[in-house]
Amino acid sequence: MFDEMLPFLTALIIGLLIGIEREQSKGQNNINPILGARTFSLLALIGVLSAFLNNDIIVIIVGIFISIVILASHIHWSHEKTSWHVGSTTAIAAMLTFVLGFLANSHSQIALMLAVVLFGFLLLKSRLHTFAHTKITKQEMTAALTFLVSAFIILPMLPRDFIDPWQLIHPTRIWILFVIIAGIEFSSYIALRTFGTNWGILITGLLGGFASATATTLNLAQRSKEKTVQILVLSSGIILAEVSSLLMQIIVLSIIAPDVSMQLFLFLAAPAFMGVICATILLFTRADKNLSSEFNLEIKNPISLKSTAIFALLISIGLIIIALATRWFGELGVYITSAIGGAVSLRVVTFSVSELASSGEILISVAALSILLAMAINMFVRLGIIYRVGGLQLFLYCAFFFFIMLVSGIFIYFLNLGQIFESNLNRINSF
């Protein structure tokens, strides 16, 4: 009995959910629509009953009748514009309520999930309007279009196999990497643009690190000249930006090389974990407990056609160079190219060495040490920026905590050295 009544109960919940939200929105813009909580509940029940009767003629007649009633109830004369006006939001919500009620007869769970989504859109209507008009620029809309085209048009069209005789360039894997990283960077960038940087330096440093760790480090270091901001607070923000960068590498590793990700995971996770601990220690040892100091974080839009092409080119070149250096100069070639690559982009090195380790080109131990080496060089580059822009005191604080983070990764390397060699032997035997 309950199973038979479940679609009707679901429809009733959907109608009440949407109807109550629309009931609260009555009276806005001097408009008082006749459809309220009871009417929306009846619309959903009519929809589920129409589906339950399973008669095409009844469904068509009821659908046409409901559409006419909904449109007629939302057409009104606007005295300000001296023209007829249609309250489209509530009218469309009413039609969707009828459709969701119809859907509830066969797919109750899906209908309820869609109703929650609709409820969210209606509830956030004013915020969405504000965001569309004031919080996002045309340049950012172009960036969003670039990302969507990259993810849903270009990606499915790329070859799903290696395109070179050396089995190095896999367009789909490279482009997936771009889509994931660009998505995270753009989401963090939009979050900072939307909500501002008045959450405090710590959270801004963490989010800004996902968008651009280098730009965040530069902006935070520039604030060291202000007397109102403590060096310890700035150091913690810079550390969290570095943590975000390491978390990005973990995501890259888990997506691109899942078969070796667990063996290389700790070499990135340990420094990130130590970074969080260091930032927490600074949080509790600072003199001023107020972290809500607002500042302008100047981070450029991370997605554009130019940056997309440069990213894909860097990944391809980095992979080819490291692979060729491995074949020509052995392990020494990997370490040298990883060190040089770390000065430019840590994620390029992480992707390249994890790909080579996954394919058996290099050993897990070589990949792990290459990542640590690239991480160290990358930190040295950031410390150079900090020293030049933020001064000696900020440099010393950041250098101390960066050193702790790096040592934790090296410690994990020597701690797991026996397991790494055992894993290398197993991989060699399997090949």
Side-chain angles (χ1 to χ4, degrees), residues 192-211:
L192 288 172
R193 280 271 290 105
T194 303
F195 301 107
T197 54
N198 57 353
W199 299 343
I201 290 176
L202 292 184
I203 298 179
T204 303
L206 186 64
L207 277 178
F210 281 114

Side-chain angles (χ1 to χ4, degrees), residues 173-192:
R173 291 166 70 87
I174 293 175
W175 210 256
I176 286 175
L177 177 65
F178 160 74
V179 168
I180 297 299
I181 291 177
I184 295 173
E185 288 181 345
F186 192 61
S187 299
S188 301
Y189 169 79
I190 291 297
L192 288 172

Side-chain angles (χ1 to χ4, degrees), residues 216-233:
T216 303
T217 300
L218 176 62
N219 279 266
L220 289 173
Q222 288 173 338
R223 293 210 68 197
S224 63
K225 301 175 183 177
E226 300 178 15
K227 296 181 179 180
T228 56
V229 182
Q230 296 181 74
I231 296 296
L232 290 179
V233 176

Side-chain angles (χ1 to χ4, degrees), residues 30 48 221 234 238 308 331 397 422:
N30 298 321
V48 69
L234 289 175
I238 291 172
T308 301
E331 294 181 6
Y397 274 115
E422 183 179 351

